[in-house]
Every structure is written in structure tokens, then in C-alpha cells.
Amino acid sequence: MPAALRVLPLKVPVRHDLVKPLSAWLDSDEQGVSYGNDDDENLTWVVPKPAFRSTDCREEILRIAALRNDLSENLKDSHKSSLESKSLEDCQEYHATLLEFEKQGFPTVDDENNGIALTWRGAFAARQEETHYSLVYDRACTMWNVAALQSSMASTADCSNKEGCKMAISLSQSAAGILATLKQLVEDSDYSTVDFSSSMISFWEKLLLAQGQLTIYKMCNLGTGKQHTTLAFLVQAAASLYNEALALAREPRLQSEVPKQAQEWAVHCKNQSLICQSRSIFHMAIEHRMKQEHGLEIGRLRQSVQTLKEALDFAKTCDSQAQLQEVEGLFKMARDRLMHAEEGNNTVYMDDVPKEMPEIRAQTMVKQNVPLPETMMLAKSEHA
């Protein structure tokens, strides 16, 4: 079956206890933050501060600081270790808490004068750090990490049964939906690391959707009584999504700033696209065989063998052993079936074999733009 699912890397916050800076900002005499110029030709606006003091929300400030401190420690290691430390639940609660703080009037505009310096390491270069002075930045990084942890859970789900497949599909859809929301959140922001570039977020959103669609195909391919036309449509849709991800992996900024990773992503997406196309064609060949349409079966098998030859050549040039083994197995199966079908047709059926076959329709079932889960929107006190 298809190669292992790819996992979005984690972003790690640099530890910075928020109790003191949030309290100092809240208790300062500044009435708000002004933006723009004070001359008559330009507009100036003021973001008002909350009317309460730090002593009025001491418990909430301690909680948000504790969550961030826990994440700064627990996200340093692997996805597995982070999940064991309940980092997914902490990230979701931290996001919901940040939202509530933003609603109450805490800093949402990047202003270094507020003293609330929030620093995160890059997902693809741990030594690369970026600092901003807005809770929105922390929330954006937290959304990234929720998607990353969900992608990890999807990759380890047991897809040998329907329940495992359903879990992987749900997680992939949710992670992609979070990234779609994240892309809108950071669209007009000035972030320097490549993590929050439109091409990076779009690539991972599309890749997660492709992986979700592929898992839907895998789930429908379990057991007996398979509907091969449906399977062909489903895996063809996965191929299309992988092609979209491939185009994004080739975006200039990714090729420039993360060349090694972008090359690996592009290779993976092209391999997966070719394999999915081959599977789609082979399913259609089976459907024709079941209907005793021997000429059409041979036409599809020839098409499948040709696509797998391309996939085989590509896998060999990329030195991808896992995908090479998968393609070699599929190629042998398609080639052997083609030889058998041609022998039967030449001696018994004598059906005409079309030189061209119609394009296979793609049936996309994976859900796009899934809204953020409630656990990311409501703080624990609001759940009660």
C-alpha cells in the first residue's frame, strides 16, 4: 500500500514567563496604543486597553503563562513524546485562552513597546528564531502545532481496519482545516520565517488533504465486495491532490529557503501521484474484466504498465527504496495480468483494443476547510 504519511514538524516557543510582562502592560498608565500619524492628512487610531488590573485576572494570567511554559518544554522532543506529555490538549487550551485574552483587549498588534516579547524557533531551522509582540503570533504558532500533532497521530493510526482509517481521515482533515484558517490569519502579517509563507502553509494543507483522500481510498479498499470503479475515482482524486502539492513544493520561496526539504517533498508527491494514477487505471482494468470487456481491460492494463514504468524510472533516480519496492510490486502485478489478458484475447476473445482510453474521473471525498474544533475555541472555564 502507499508510503508512510508525511508529518508537519513542530515549532518550539522560547521560554518566557508571561506573568510579569502581561501584568506590567495591564497595570501601566498607557491608555492604549496609537497607530498612524498625528498630522491632518493621515488617520490615527487607538487600540484601547482593558479596564481592569492584573490583580483582577491573576488566576487567568498564571494559567496562560503556565501553558506557554509547559509547551516550551514539552515540544522540544519528538511528536510522540509531545503527545505523551498531553501537548495537543495544552496547545488547544492555549489557543482558546489566547482567543479569550484577545477578546478582552490584550495586545493583538505588533508593538515592541508593550514589552511582551514572544519568540518561537523555526519549524525547519531550530536555530532560526522570530520574535513578535502580539498574542496573535503565539496563536498562529499554536495552530501550526495542533496541525503538526494531528498529522503525527494520523500517520500512526492503524489503517488495517476501518476505525483506524476513520481516525486518520478525521485528523488529516482537521489538520488541513487548521492550516487553511492559519493561512487567512497570517495573510497580512509581516513574518520573516518561511513557516508562515503562503506557499508553505498551502503546500502542507494540500499534502494533508491528499493523505486524507488516500486514506479514504485505503478504507474503501478493505475487505471484500470492492467497487472498483469507485476505488478508481477515489485514488485518482488523491493523485490530483498530490499534483497540486507538487506544484506548491516547487514554489520559488520553498526552493530557496528550504531546498533540501522542498526537493524531498516534490519527489514524494510525484511518486505518490504516479502510484495513485497507476492504481486508478488498474482498478478500471479489473472493472472491465468483470464485465467481460477484454479489449478495454487490455487498454487499461497497457496504460497502467506504462504509468508504472514511468514511476519505476522516477523512483530509481530518486533512490527512494520504500517507494521503489511498492512500484516494483505493482508493476509486476500489472505486467503479469497484461500478458495473461493479451494471451486470452489473442486466442479466444479477439476483442479490439482501443489505442486511447478516456480520462478517469476524480471523486474527492476528503473534507476541505474544516472549522477549528471547539476545544480550540472555548477555554476550559467556558466548557463547564
Side-chain angles (χ1 to χ4, degrees), residues 38-65:
D38 293 328
D39 57 65
D40 294 334
E41 297 180 0
N42 293 280
L43 293 175
T44 302
W45 70 97
V46 176
V47 179
K49 286 175 61 177
F52 46 84
R53 293 287 182 170
S54 62
T55 52
D56 300 321
C57 56
R58 178 72 176 172
E59 184 178 339
E60 288 81 1
I61 290 177
L62 288 172
R63 181 56 184 160
I64 197 172

Side-chain angles (χ1 to χ4, degrees), residues 8-13 71 75 79 82-83 87-88 91-92 94 120-121 123 138-152 175 178-179 182 196 376:
L8 182 67
L10 293 165
K11 291 178 68 68
V12 180
L71 292 174
L75 293 173
H79 291 72
S82 297
L83 288 166
S87 291
L88 177 59
C91 281
Q92 291 173 327
Y94 187 50
W120 289 72
R121 296 187 177 94
D138 253 30
R139 187 156 60 86
C141 293
T142 303
M143 290 172 68
W144 174 285
N145 281 334
V146 174
L149 291 169
Q150 288 184 339
S151 73
S152 177
I178 290 169
L179 291 181
L182 173 61
F196 288 160
M376 292 181 67

Side-chain angles (χ1 to χ4, degrees), residues 88-306:
L88 177 59
E89 292 84 351
D90 285 349
C91 281
Q92 291 173 327
E93 184 183 351
Y94 187 50
H95 181 275
T97 305
L98 285 167
L99 266 181
E100 183 57 32
F101 269 63
E102 291 173 27
K103 291 176 186 176
Q104 295 298 327
F106 282 81
T108 57
V109 180
D110 221 346
D111 174 28
E112 62 184 70
N113 294 320
N114 65 32
I116 305 171
L118 304 170
T119 303
W120 289 72
R121 296 187 177 94
F124 304 97
R127 294 182 180 179
Q128 185 179 34
E129 297 181 352
E130 184 169 3
T131 302
H132 292 275
Y133 300 82
S134 163
L135 297 187
V136 175
Y137 179 56
D138 253 30
R139 187 156 60 86
C141 293
T142 303
M143 290 172 68
W144 174 285
N145 281 334
V146 174
L149 291 169
Q150 288 184 339
S151 73
S152 177
M153 292 174 67
S155 73
T156 57
D158 180 7
C159 288
S160 63
N161 59 76
K162 285 194 174 183
E163 290 308 311
C165 286
K166 287 179 181 179
M167 184 174 76
I169 293 163
S170 177
L171 288 164
S172 295
Q173 290 175 161
S174 177
I178 290 169
L179 291 181
T181 304
L182 173 61
K183 184 166 58 177
Q184 295 178 348
L185 180 66
V186 303
E187 187 175 13
D188 297 321
S189 301
D190 185 23
Y191 298 132
S192 61
T193 53
V194 71
D195 303 5
F196 288 160
S197 66
S198 177
S199 52
M200 179 67 79
I201 299 174
S202 296
F203 165 75
W204 278 99
E205 178 194 0
K206 199 63 66 174
L207 180 60
L208 289 166
L209 289 172
Q211 294 180 166
Q213 178 70 25
L214 192 56
T215 309
I216 292 173
Y217 158 75
K218 187 172 184 178
M219 181 176 67
C220 295
N221 202 23
L222 294 172
T224 57
K226 299 173 183 177
Q227 301 294 322
H228 288 282
T229 299
T230 299
L231 289 170
F233 292 171
L234 290 174
V235 76
Q236 183 65 26
S240 298
L241 288 167
Y242 274 114
N243 281 335
E244 292 181 48
L246 171 60
L248 289 163
R250 290 172 171 168
E251 286 281 324
R253 186 167 182 189
L254 301 192
Q255 292 290 325
S256 171
E257 296 193 38
V258 284
K260 183 178 179 180
Q261 294 95 328
Q263 176 63 19
E264 191 275 330
W265 299 334
V267 167
H268 173 73
C269 290
K270 184 168 182 179
N271 265 320
Q272 289 300 96
S273 174
L274 290 170
I275 291 170
C276 288
Q277 290 176 56
S278 309
R279 288 183 175 276
S280 177
I281 298 165
F282 194 76
H283 279 296
M284 292 303 298
I286 296 174
E287 187 70 22
H288 290 310
R289 183 172 79 226
M290 293 171 65
K291 294 179 179 178
Q292 301 293 306
E293 297 169 342
H294 304 289
L296 292 174
E297 179 197 4
I298 293 170
R300 284 300 185 193
L301 286 170
R302 288 175 180 174
Q303 189 182 20
S304 181
V305 167
Q306 183 59 41

